[in-house]
C-alpha cells in the first residue's frame, strides 16, 4: 500500500511550544541503513534470526545471508525511501528479479517481502507472518539465501529470497548472529536509542491522524486513545534528552 500524507494544519505553533519545554544537549543522530559492502545492521541480522527461528521451528533449513542479496534489498529499500513509492514493481527500478540480477547474484527463483511502518524486527516479522503471501516466502522450501535491508525512515524493510546457481557457493552466515539491540522503552521512533526533536517531529507528522486513516500508525498513539494529539506529543517531549542503555 502507498501511504497518504497526514493532515498537518495548525500544528506548527503547538510543536514549537512543546519543543521549547526541553533543551537538547546533543544533535540528532539517525542510524544509517547498511549500504553495499557494509556490515549487516543489528536490525537486519535480527530479522534473519527471526526468519530462521520460524523456519527451524517447523523443521525447515535456515536461510543463509548472501551479501549480493543484501545489496539488492538495500537498493530497493533506499529507492522506496527516497521516492516515497511502496511497491515491488511500480517504483521505477524494475522488479525483484531485475534487482537481484543487477547485484551480480547468480541464481534462479527470487522472492521479495517489503514493509513500512513497523518499528522493530519483531513487529515487522509479526506483520509478515500474519500475511499469507509474505509468510509463504519466509517459510518456502525453495529458497536458500536471504538478504535484508532496514532504513529507520518509515521505517522501511525489504527481504529478498533466492536460490543460488549450483556452481556458486552460498555465503556463510555471519558468525554469532543474534545481534539484536535490547529494546528501548522510550518513545524513540528513529531508533537511535535517544529521544530527540526528531522523535517529536515524527509524532507531529502524524498529528490528528486517527485509527480510521490510511496512514495510521498505532505505535505513535502513545496514550492509546485512538488519535494522535497533544497528549502523545507531550509524552515524547517529557523524555527528550533521555537515552537507552
Amino acid at each position: 500500500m502507498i501511504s497518504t500524507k497526514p493532515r498537518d494544519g495548525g500544528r506548527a505553533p503547538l510543536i514549537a511550544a512543546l519543543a521549547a519545554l526541553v533543551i537538547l544537549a546533543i544533535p540528532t543522530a539517525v542510524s544509517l541503513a547498511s549500504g553495499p559492502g557494509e556490515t549487516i545492521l543489528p536490525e537486519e541480522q535480527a530479522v534473519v534470526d527471526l526468519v530462521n527461528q520460524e523456519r527451524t521451528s517447523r523443521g525447515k533449513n535456515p536461510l543463509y545471508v548472501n551479501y549480493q542479496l543484501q545489496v539488492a534489498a538495500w537498493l530497493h529499500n533506499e529507492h522506496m525511501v527516497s521516492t516515497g513509492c511502496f511497491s515491488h514493481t511500480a517504483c521505477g527500478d524494475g522488479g525483484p528479479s531485475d534487482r537481484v540480477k543487477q547485484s551480480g547474484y547468480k541464481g534462479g527463483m527470487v522472492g521479495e517481502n517489503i514493509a513500512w511502518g513497523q518499528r522493530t524486527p519483531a513487529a515487522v516479522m509479526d506483520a509478515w507472518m500474519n500475511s499469507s503471501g509474505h509468510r509463504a516466502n519466509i517459510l518456502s522450501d525453495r529458497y536458500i539465501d536471504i538478504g535484508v535491508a532496514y532504513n529507520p525512515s518509515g521505517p522501511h524493510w525489504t527481504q529478498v529470497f533466492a536460490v543460488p546457481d549450483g556452481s556458486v557457493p552460498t555465503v556463510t552466515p555471519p558468525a554469532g548472529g543474534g545481534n539484536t539491540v535490547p529494546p528501548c522503552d522510550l518513545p524513540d521512533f528513529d531508533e537511535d536509542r535517544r529521544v530527540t526533536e526528531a522523535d517529536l517531529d515524527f509524532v507531529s507528522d502524524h498529528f490528528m491522524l486517527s485509527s480510521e486513516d490510511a496512514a495510521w500508525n498505532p505505535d505513535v498513539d502513545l496514550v492509546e486513545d485512538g488519535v494522535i494529539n497533544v497528549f502523545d506529543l507531550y509524552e515524547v517531549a517529557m523524555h527528550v534528552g533521555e537515552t537507552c542503555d
Side-chain angles (χ1 to χ4, degrees):
M1 64 181 179
I2 299 176
S3 64
T4 57
K5 289 186 177 180
R7 298 183 292 275
D8 61 355
R11 64 177 172 82
L14 176 61
I15 304 309
L18 283 167
L21 293 174
V22 295
I23 299 175
L24 297 179
I26 51 178
T28 301
V30 179
S31 301
L32 297 177
S34 59
E38 295 182 11
T39 304
I40 188 170
L41 290 177
E43 294 87 354
E44 296 162 350
Q45 182 64 55
V47 168
V48 173
D49 293 342
L50 289 169
V51 165
N52 285 335
Q53 287 175 23
E54 294 287 355
R55 292 177 64 86
T56 57
S57 70
R58 294 167 171 81
K60 300 177 182 292
N61 292 328
L63 299 179
Y64 295 94
V65 174
N66 181 286
Y67 284 95
Q68 288 169 317
L69 296 188
Q70 286 288 113
V71 170
W74 183 84
L75 289 174
H76 187 50
N77 211 51
E78 295 300 295
H79 186 74
M80 290 193 295
V81 170
S82 64
T83 63
C85 175
F86 184 74
S87 172
H88 295 286
T89 58
C91 294
D93 59 343
S97 294
D98 300 315
R99 294 186 285 272
V100 168
K101 183 177 180 180
Q102 290 166 7
S103 77
Y105 184 88
K106 305 298 183 183
M109 190 174 300
V110 172
E112 182 179 82
N113 288 344
I114 57 177
W116 177 88
Q118 294 82 7
R119 292 180 54 200
T120 66
V124 74
M125 277 296 296
D126 184 65
W128 280 329
M129 289 301 292
N130 281 286
S131 168
S132 59
H134 298 92
R135 183 173 63 250
N137 275 339
I138 290 170
L139 299 179
S140 174
D141 291 323
R142 300 174 298 179
Y143 297 126
I144 294 176
D145 290 344
I146 186 174
V148 178
Y150 160 79
N151 187 304
S153 176
H156 281 75
W157 307 82
T158 298
Q159 289 178 320
V160 177
F161 308 87
V163 180
D165 186 285
S167 63
V168 179
T170 299
V171 175
T172 303
N179 297 321
T180 306
V181 176
C184 182
D185 294 329
L186 297 172
D188 170 34
F189 293 102
D190 60 11
E191 296 192 342
D192 64 352
R193 305 191 67 75
R194 64 188 67 184
V195 182
T196 68
E197 283 183 329
D199 300 300
L200 271 173
D201 289 341
F202 184 84
V203 176
S204 71
D205 286 341
H206 296 74
F207 194 68
M208 294 311 297
L209 285 178
S210 73
S211 57
E212 298 178 355
D213 290 295
W216 171 252
N217 183 344
D219 289 339
V220 187
D221 185 19
L222 298 172
V223 300
E224 300 183 355
D225 59 357
V227 63
I228 310 304
N229 53 31
V230 65
F231 300 108
D232 301 295
L233 287 166
Y234 184 73
E235 283 292 315
V236 180
M238 293 301 295
H239 291 285
V240 169
E242 296 181 22
T243 60
C244 287
D245 297 330

